[in-house]
Amino acid sequence: MTKKLLIIDTLAGNLFSLQAAAQRLGFEVDICQSPNDIIYDALVIPGQGRFASVVNQLKKQGWDSYLKNAHEHGLPMLGICVGMQIFFEASDEDPEVTGFAWFKGKAKALDFPKKPMVGWAELDSRDSIFAGKIVYFVNSFAVDQADESVATTEYGQNFCAAVKRGAFYGVQFHPEKSSQAGLQMMANILLPENQGELKSEENNHV
Amino acid sequence: MSSLLPRIILCLDVKDGRVVKGTNFVNLRDMGDPVELAIEYEKQGADELVFLDISASNEKRPTALKLVTDIASHLSIPFTVGGGLKKLDDVKAFLDAGADKVALNTTAVLDPDIIDQTAKAYGSQCVVVAIDVNQEDEGLNYYINGGRKRVEGDFFNWTQQVAQRGAGEILLTAMHRDGTGLGFDTELTRKVSESVPVQVIASGGAKTEQHFLTAFEGGADACLAAGMFHSGDYQVDQVKQFLQDQGLKVRL
């Protein structure tokens, strides 16, 4: 059976790379602005847009309760970049807006002379999904400390590069822009029962 | 402390939907299909790609946008498009079509507000300002229109201004090195890199792996090259292996 993936459209940018990456993993992809009744095998919150606009758009469309419910049912979920930060309490990017607060902590402006952080960095992690992997970052804000952090990297300071609770993963980097390493991570997170085995025929050109 | 690794960026010139190679816009030679070449360079280990002049003429805009979406759907590394983006609408069209970043050069000089506007609408990470600079007897001058028109103004002021306006990166092409094979202008790259609060991509002059090592050790955050890879003289992973062997950590 083809697995179905839901990508939430937060109206903050194109989703071609993400969609293509998911299709390469063998997923049938639905891109939706509001929740529906279809049963999905996994879900992605994309990494584009500002903190406030993404939080507000998700709340407006009723995604907050949907996501909570999906998580309680153990749906594999991946939040990317700002799509990870919104699950924390707040962000310096838009201090007046409250995040979903699944995790304690907040996104703060990176303390480094050159901003945004743009480029590839190695992850420091003990989780086999992330350990030693080199992935692509594009961000000016990051969560400096999180209890459930499973990977970190450094840019002026150490920050949380990945967070995990149950089947939910949030990552500060962009796996869909991180070549083979990123695709493998997406497979591990979104297809846990396959143990992240990539479909070879879809993937043979990367 | 930054754990960012030095990046090697490949530049592909696109004309009428094909990648072309030529010297100073003459003797253009067909190099192949942009999507296929992009995939090949990702496989070789390129950290990013830049497609230039993909959008040069308005009448071919729909084809160019389709090509950008096609590239976005096949590539899992970031890519930039540049050349011929004249208005904010052009910029938006290409970002919406799937480009991760746009490179602005002539347009940024003629209408600097476009830097602010793009950064505001899409974020600084989408804005690369390309600056073509030439070392001349009286000092450094910068140029627009593909290196044909000199700009009246101070080069270092311009680098500061583009960063302040919201550029996320500066692509610095040393015209006096372009096509010479003498290596990047490391001294110039270092000067700019130390004085602006954004990353600086060195461009112009690369011919050997040693040139990359010198540039990275000299302060370049990334290096862009074309000819030495298009010619087949080097594979990207070969250069990266060399850098690694010399003690520089890279993505291999």
Side-chain angles (χ1 to χ4, degrees), chain B residues 35-46:
Chain B
V35 177
E36 280 170 28
L37 277 169
I39 291 169
E40 168 59 24
Y41 283 131
E42 176 179 348
K43 259 196 233 167
Q44 279 189 23

Side-chain angles (χ1 to χ4, degrees), chain A residues 14 16 20 24 112-115 117-122 134 136 138 153-156 176-179 205, chain B residues 1-5 39 42 47-48 73-74 76 78 95-98 100-101 125 193 197-199 221 249 251:
Chain A
N14 83 77
F16 296 116
R24 245 168 266 159
F112 195 78
K114 294 191 179 211
K115 273 187 281 195
M117 176 183 188
V118 182
W120 300 78
E122 186 176 336
I134 296 175
Y136 191 77
V138 187
T153 195
E154 205 167 339
Y155 196 66
E176 79 281 16
K177 289 285 164 195
S178 298
S179 202
H205 67 277
Chain B
M1 283 297 115
S2 158
S3 51
L4 283 183
L5 306 177
I39 291 169
E42 176 179 348
D47 294 309
E48 287 189 47
S73 306
H74 286 86
S76 348
L95 290 173
D96 291 341
D100 296 293
K101 317 175 193 184
Q125 78 284 350
S193 185
V198 296
Q199 297 208 34
D221 299 298
K249 186 155 177 58
R251 183 179 73 97

Side-chain angles (χ1 to χ4, degrees), chain B residues 52-181:
Chain B
L52 284 186
D53 279 326
I54 196 163
S55 53
S57 71
N58 273 322
E59 59 271 26
K60 285 168 188 148
R61 183 58 45 88
T63 325
L65 290 171
K66 198 189 156 293
L67 177 58
V68 168
T69 301
D70 218 21
I71 293 166
S73 306
H74 286 86
L75 209 59
S76 348
I77 55 172
F79 73 100
T80 303
V81 299
L85 302 169
K86 293 194 178 68
K87 312 185 298 285
L88 187 60
D89 282 350
D90 300 337
V91 167
K92 284 183 168 172
F94 280 91
L95 290 173
D96 291 341
D100 296 293
K101 317 175 193 184
V102 290
L104 302 171
N105 190 337
T106 303
T107 303
V109 171
L110 299 179
D111 177 19
D113 277 341
I114 199 167
I115 304 170
D116 309 62
Q117 288 166 354
T118 309
K120 204 166 165 228
Y122 291 87
S124 288
Q125 78 284 350
C126 294
V127 192
V128 179
V129 172
I131 307 177
D132 293 339
V133 61
N134 196 29
Q135 179 72 61
E136 291 160 7
D137 291 342
E138 67 272 33
L140 292 163
N141 285 302
Y142 64 108
Y143 283 75
I144 55 172
N145 294 344
R148 291 188 296 275
K149 188 170 180 226
R150 196 168 107 179
V151 182
E152 297 303 322
D154 181 75
F155 162 70
F156 284 101
N157 281 351
W158 177 236
T159 64
Q160 290 296 334
Q161 196 190 139
V162 303
Q164 276 159 18
R165 285 179 177 271
E169 293 167 271
I170 290 176
L171 167 55
L172 187 65
T173 300
M175 294 166 64
H176 49 284
R177 291 296 176 93
D178 219 8
T180 63

Side-chain angles (χ1 to χ4, degrees), chain A residues 11 19 91 107 118 132 148 166 172 176 188:
Chain A
L11 307 179
Q19 183 178 11
S91 169
V118 182
E148 288 150 283
Q172 181 56 63
E176 79 281 16
N188 287 331

Side-chain angles (χ1 to χ4, degrees), chain A residues 97-170:
Chain A
V97 171
T98 313
F100 291 167
W102 291 17
F103 299 94
K104 281 212 169 89
K106 77 184 227 186
K108 295 176 185 168
L110 287 168
D111 183 21
F112 195 78
K114 294 191 179 211
K115 273 187 281 195
M117 176 183 188
V118 182
W120 300 78
E122 186 176 336
L123 300 176
D124 187 359
S125 174
R126 279 183 295 190
D127 185 318
S128 61
I129 293 182
F130 304 109
K133 299 290 189 326
I134 296 175
V135 290
Y136 191 77
F137 285 85
V138 187
N139 51 299
S140 299
F141 296 86
V143 175
D144 57 345
Q145 272 196 324
D147 292 342
E148 288 150 283
S149 174
V150 288
T152 61
T153 195
E154 205 167 339
Y155 196 66
Q157 79 227 48
N158 209 257
F159 67 85
C160 169
V163 70
K164 172 190 192 312
R165 181 187 293 168
F168 174 91
Y169 285 84

Side-chain angles (χ1 to χ4, degrees), chain B residues 163-236:
Chain B
Q164 276 159 18
R165 285 179 177 271
E169 293 167 271
I170 290 176
L171 167 55
L172 187 65
T173 300
M175 294 166 64
H176 49 284
R177 291 296 176 93
D178 219 8
T180 63
L182 293 170
F184 300 101
D185 188 334
T186 303
E187 194 48 42
L188 174 65
T189 307
R190 187 206 327 262
K191 259 191 210 157
V192 176
S193 185
E194 283 174 355
S195 67
V196 293
V198 296
Q199 297 208 34
V200 176
I201 304 161
S203 157
K207 200 184 177 187
T208 71
E209 66 265 70
Q210 180 63 43
H211 294 151
F212 287 82
L213 182 65
T214 310
F216 287 131
E217 287 180 342
D221 299 298
C223 285
L224 179 136
M228 62 180 278
F229 296 113
H230 295 330
S231 65
D233 289 347
Y234 282 92
Q235 303 254 319
V236 184

